[in-house]
Amino acid sequence: MAQPLVKKDDDRDDEVDYSPFLGIEKGAVLQEARVFNDPQLDPRRCSQVITKLLYLLNQGETFTKVEATEVFFAVTKLFQSRDMGLRRMVYVIIKELSPSADEVIIVTSSLMKDMTSKTDMYRANAIRVLCRITDGTLLTQIERYLKQAIVDKNPVVASAALVSGIHLLQTNPEIVKRWSNEVQEAVQSRAALVQFHALALLHQIRQNDRLAVNKLVSSLTRGSVRSPLAQCLLIRYTSQVIRESTNDTQTGDRPFYDFLEGCLRHKAEMVIFEAARAITELNGVTSRELTPAITVLQLFLSSSKPVLRFAAVRTLNKVAMSHPTAVTNCNIDMESLISDQNRSIATLAITTLLKTGNESSVDRLMKQITNFMSDIADEFKIVVVDAIRSLCLKFPLKHRSLMNFLSNILREEGGFEYKKAIVDSIVILIRDIPEAKESGLLHLCEFIEDCEFTYLSTQILHFLGIEGPKTSDPSKYIRYIYNRVHLENATVRAGAVSTLAKFGAMVDGLKPRIFVLLRRCLFDNDDEVRDRATLYLNTLGGDGAVVETDEGVKEFLFGSLDVPLVNLENSLKNYDPSEKAFDINSVPKDVKTQPLAEKKATSKKPTGLGAPPPGPPSTVDAYEKLLSSIPEFASFGKLFKSSAPVELTEAETEYAVNVVKHIFDGHVVFQYNCRNTIPEQLLENVTVIVDASEAEEFAEVDSKPLRQLPYDSPGQTFVAFEKPEGVSAVGKFSNMLRFIVKEVDPSTGEAEDDGVEDEYQLEDLELVAADYMLKVGVSNFRNAWESMGVDFEHVDEYGLGPRDSLAEAVNAVINLLGMQPCEGTEVIPPNSRSHTCLLSGVYIGNVKVLVRLQFGLDGPKDVAMKLAVRSEDGTVSDAIHEIVASG
Amino acid sequence: MILAVLFANSEGNILVERFNGVPAEERLHWRSFLVKLGADNLKGVKNEELLVASHRSVYIVYTVLGDVSVYVVGKDEYDELALAEVIFVITSAVKDVCGKLPTERLFLDKYGRICLTLDEIIWKETVTFCVIANEHPFAFSSMDTAANVLPHPFS
């Protein structure tokens, strides 16, 4: 019994091991190709050799020019054979060898003969090969045959010609466009495939003629297109026409929507899906239009075919971004997809659910995700982490469970990108949800105990240094930080030393113990660590006296540079080592690039959902430093707000100037950022002459000219105004740039001694009410609104007159007030007739303000608005109403 | 457009590959990515059951056919549904040529005919591997494969 079994196994092994191409070599195959030259052709043998050549090419083997030419010429001999199989192989190999133009001529006549052959297969194949290798001149010769082939009664030949037409359209559009009539005839073909190809070609021929495409779509949507593929194309073209046309203003109906909706009942799944997707992607799609599409997609979710499930969940995921409520009905089906074997489907389902879920479903969802996370790849996990972060910002009350989830996955295995995504998310949550701060910091502390990524450890240590000292019990973080000094590499140790010093500087009670720890670092074997410890001990007063750390020292040690790093780098490169020490004040302070640079460093803060917009806090810090460094402005007090730069010149002008409005309680400072774009000029004594005659409440108190403005090196000049304290005075200022211009010799770069005084008119600048409002979001508007109370509530109604849309009216009011939209209420569902928008901000004098705007369409275009304001000060509530009334 | 069509054996060795519009230096990445994708997911999958994945903005539909795994990669209008059509035609054609589910040996035995049929599917249905470069929606149709309507070359 045993023997036959063994024998059988042996047989199988033989079969597996043996490959017909075992030991194949290019040289040998090229030798074998000589068989093509035999006077008595052996078709079988020749086919085998061509197969070997194809195998070699498929394995990435390349032929030299000489080799390819030799093989090509030999192959052309095979046209003598009448063997059909061999002829077909010849067609394939000719295309593979892609002969050069001078070689093509050898096969042209044979191919042209085949093109008119009685054998359909020869005709079709020859057309494809010829079109592949031909050029424009030959094409005009064969054009007649191609036109005939398009309307050939054999669909295979017609399709070959049409497809060739599609390819030739790229290289010889003029010729192919002449085939329009034949192609149009082919669109009516009974063969589904021909219809599909013809429609594709016809559309490509007409794609630049919008009217023609419109006509094509109109006629075909009325008739019956047989091929499902052609139907899909038609749906795509229809979507394009819809995008370019406008709604029927009378009825609000969308042209061709009925056609798309009708396709949802087509028998081919492909067509149904195409139509559903087209509907979901319509501009400003209404929920009435969406419903039927969502219904069919929901059915696909429970399909047995992974491809359909994937397609459906992918589309729903996109819809959930703009219309989360429309997708809510599919939530149950999507929850079952979390356990789908296909991880792409599961991830899409999860992220969709996270977008559409409500507060009550968060815990259940998290439970399901926990099981799922362990068996997906990092790239999917990152998507999930991002979705969870957004969810947490949306439902801040759920921070506990979401933060726990993040900390759990932080402990599991994972690559750098994944861990970084989690850490970034925790940092964002700590920053935006104050209640989540302490637990978040502890999670981060635990993570660095066992973190293999130096980058992440140092980032977290830095973050701990900023946030840790502000917590109720800073001492509990010290252990985690000091452990790093013992256990980590030099980079992390140096980071830990700095963080320890920050705790020491900010928390006086911890100082003695911190000094003890820092002294231990003096014996570290890395010089950077030792240097840092020495510096901190000396500057913070490590000699034993526990005194409050001087603000100047703190600023010196932990303050950010008040110059952009790029500028500093450039200045350092240009610094010539000499007796004279490098002066940091000589570094230009182009604040236009500074906020950008800082924004990059803080990075990745999501917008919306009640979170304050990215940038401002750090930008304000930068501006505050800059202004306080100027003695004339130091007495103005705390900077309340700095506006975004407002351009005062057109792009591409000789001098580019923008202005930042800095608002103080009793003063306003205009910071003019200037750039000289003429290499042959040096500007000196640059000032801006401001005419404030249209801003009565303002009186100019100071002006700080810019000494020099060389080519392409930014600089600032300032003008300060006094205004009544705490009042949101508004006005218009006209500006004139005045300077002395000196010619610069381009060869030496030296400026002439004498200059000429010149002026350059800038655009006017307005100070508006929104400049006195700080955009500060609240994480839970309802709570904030309730706790603010009705004491200083002021409610009134306004007519905003005719507007293009509700969205335009809402945006206008948001911009007018300059407040932060909360909970995503700045997004107005298309075609809605009413909308509530929630805003929050801090008004000058540090008065918190909350605004509830209710908009409604009154008649076809007129917008009416109810404005409810609550604030900590009745006069501020009234002021907000005044802004709206006068705006 | 269709970016790649790739056949591999059960050990992840490439049998046939065609890239289109993919720079040479990225091909190795794609090759190993696809083979890894197959190794991770194709175990225990039924013949011709389609799996789908997306990598950045690119879609991948893949399946197993006997000893051979087949991958089709596309982007833009070649989304998962279009690729499902494409791979359906390819697998049907290969099965027709081999007469049954292919072993690796059978696949290599029929290599020439497979190349030919693959070319002619597309000849019939739109695009050859060589001309995939030209963007054209829905390269293949599932109406019928060339192998069904054309006589075999070696018969």
Side-chain angles (χ1 to χ4, degrees), chain A residues 583-604:
Chain A
D583 179 10
I584 193 143
N585 293 324
S586 67
V587 181
K589 297 173 181 174
D590 174 18
V591 277
K592 203 177 170 191
T593 56
Q594 189 164 351
L596 267 179
E598 290 217 354
K599 212 164 139 189
K600 258 187 202 161
T602 51
S603 90
K604 283 204 174 173

Side-chain angles (χ1 to χ4, degrees), chain A residues 17 208 305 370 436 793:
Chain A
D17 287 341
N208 295 325
K305 299 177 186 166
T370 313
E793 187 178 65

